[in-house]
Every structure is written in C-alpha cells, then in structure tokens.
Amino acid sequence: MELNTQFLVDRLVQRMDVDRIFLFQFLDEGRKSPHLLLVVNPIKGVSVRSVSPIIHLCMADMPEIPFTVIWTSDWVSQLKKGSLYYTYASLPSHQLYQSGKKGYPTVSNKLVNSLMEMFVLDYAQGKKVADEFMVACYSFRSKMDFFQATVMLHQFVMLRLKGFQSMVGGAIGKSQNLEHLLKVMRGAVPGLFEIFTYDVHSTCLLRLLDSSYLYSKKKDRIDILEEE
C-alpha cells in the first residue's frame, strides 16, 4: 500500500490549522526512510503533543510514517538559530504544502551544507573531549572505583548531549544536569529519545549520574555498587 501524499495533506489541512508540511528522507538505523514535518499554528491551551492523535487518525487507512510536529513560532525560531535538523527538513524541495499566510526566510541547500560543515567540526571537537572522559571512566572502573567511574561517565554523556544541543541550534547554557538537558532537547532533536529512552529504568540511571556529579563537586562521594 503506497502513501498518497496529496490525500494525506488534504486530510491534515481539513483537521488542523497547518502552516507548512514537509516530507523528507530521515536516516534511521543506517537506512533512509520518509519522515513528515508538520508546522502547525498554535492553539491556545493545547500542547504540541496533543495534536499527534489527529495525525495518526489521518493515516489510519494508509501506511503510517514517522512525523514531527512543531508550532509555527517555534519552527521559525529553530530556523533562525540554525538548527540543522529543521533547516534540512524545511528545504523547498521537501515542501508538500504551504498555507500562504506568511512568508519566511528561504532555506537553501547551500545553507544546509554550510551548517553541516560547521557542526561536524564543532561536534568532532566536543566528541574528542568526551571520549577522554570515557577512557577515564574505564580506568576507574578497572580500579573498582565505581564512584569516580560514574562521575566520568556523567561528564561523557553531558558533553555528548551538549554536542547534540549545539548542532540543533539550541542555547547551550551552563547546566550539567542530564535530566534537564534531555527535557530541553525533547522537541528539538527528534530521534534522540530512541537512544536515551528516558523510561522508568533509564531515569534512575540518569539521576544516579547526576547525583554522583553533584557529590563530586562537594568533594564528597557516595557508595556505588558494581552492578549499578
């Protein structure tokens, strides 16, 4: 069963105040797969997640593909920040629908390529520093010092998350709390939460990393078991 994009667009526009719809190829587990970006005009008192069931409804009798929903104002903000994800997704060649109500800055292939070059360099530099913390993590673990190993692991994850945050054009900030960083990026990096699932199990582990880091700042430590 093939996806009738025009039929889907017609349904979405009938049910929601859609500003833009983009269809692009998203890299998923090494393979390219279609992905929708829906730019929707905000509804007072309604969260962006609340419109997801409507989109699922529109795909009920057709192949369902992954999608990202973002309010129009947030989308414009992401473009101005230079978010690589939203800039790439919003290329004119990916656009299926435009309401025509407002004009926005034109996104070009040249801009995407420039952003990619810049972020690849920035991310490589951050990854190099993060990997040094991972080496230290293994070193402390081999010495059975699980507290210091956990502190090093916290720094590794924090730096990698901030690398993602920088790449999507978000404000880096000084916070090193992993829970906070993940919540800030929840809507900015679709797909990131397939890596950091943020379920009940992983939440406890993230909080253990944050606790270890806080204790280390106070020049104190907590007992951490090997299985933890």
Side-chain angles (χ1 to χ4, degrees):
M1 184 167 55
E2 294 184 4
L3 177 68
N4 187 326
T5 53
Q6 187 56 55
F7 192 33
L8 176 59
V9 167
D10 291 341
R11 282 183 172 179
L12 292 167
V13 172
Q14 287 174 6
R15 288 176 169 83
M16 296 185 296
D17 187 8
V18 183
D19 190 275
R20 300 281 199 289
I21 300 176
F22 299 94
L23 179 64
F24 61 100
Q25 293 297 312
F26 188 75
L27 194 63
D28 183 15
E29 296 183 355
R31 296 177 298 175
K32 288 185 177 181
S33 60
H35 196 100
L36 277 175
L37 171 63
L38 293 101
V39 183
V40 181
N41 291 316
I43 306 166
K44 188 175 181 179
V46 176
S47 70
V48 71
R49 291 185 188 179
S50 301
V51 303
S52 293
I54 301 174
I55 301 165
H56 286 295
L57 174 64
C58 292
M59 298 183 189
D61 58 352
M62 60 179 68
E64 186 165 318
I65 61 175
F67 59 84
T68 301
V69 185
I70 186 170
W71 294 140
T72 306
S73 56
D74 294 334
W75 173 67
V76 174
S77 177
Q78 289 292 341
L79 293 182
K80 289 180 178 178
K81 290 177 182 178
S83 164
L84 183 57
Y85 173 81
Y86 286 104
T87 303
Y88 169 73
S90 306
L91 285 170
S93 58
H94 297 156
Q95 185 169 287
L96 294 179
Y97 171 82
Q98 177 179 344
S99 67
K101 294 180 181 179
K102 295 180 180 179
Y104 297 103
T106 303
V107 178
S108 66
N109 283 305
K110 185 177 180 180
L111 175 60
V112 171
N113 290 331
S114 297
L115 287 172
M116 286 180 65
E117 290 178 12
M118 181 177 69
F119 288 131
V120 163
L121 290 173
D122 288 346
Y123 191 76
Q125 291 175 353
K127 183 179 181 298
K128 182 179 178 181
V129 177
D131 288 347
E132 291 175 0
F133 280 105
M134 182 56 79
V135 171
C137 172
Y138 282 117
S139 177
F140 281 114
R141 181 184 175 185
S142 68
K143 299 174 185 176
M144 306 293 283
D145 188 343
F146 302 119
F147 171 74
Q148 287 295 347
T150 306
V151 174
M152 295 298 105
L153 182 58
H154 173 278
Q155 291 295 285
F156 168 80
V157 177
M158 181 273 296
L159 287 169
R160 296 303 297 271
L161 285 175
K162 288 203 170 187
F164 281 118
Q165 195 175 8
S166 174
M167 187 170 64
V168 300
I172 298 298
K174 295 181 179 180
S175 175
Q176 296 199 21
N177 182 277
L178 302 183
E179 274 199 278
H180 173 73
L181 291 173
L182 283 167
K183 288 175 182 177
V184 167
M185 291 186 289
R186 184 175 290 275
V189 193
L192 182 61
F193 289 90
E194 294 177 12
I195 302 172
F196 297 95
T197 55
Y198 209 69
D199 56 16
V200 175
H201 180 65
S202 63
T203 301
C204 294
L205 296 177
L206 288 169
R207 288 175 180 171
L208 178 60
L209 293 176
D210 283 330
S211 296
S212 298
Y213 174 69
L214 287 174
Y215 271 93
S216 70
K217 286 180 65 177
K218 298 174 183 177
K219 296 183 180 180
D220 200 353
R221 56 188 296 134
I222 54 176
D223 292 328
I224 297 177
L225 302 175
E226 183 175 3
E227 55 265 30
E228 291 178 302

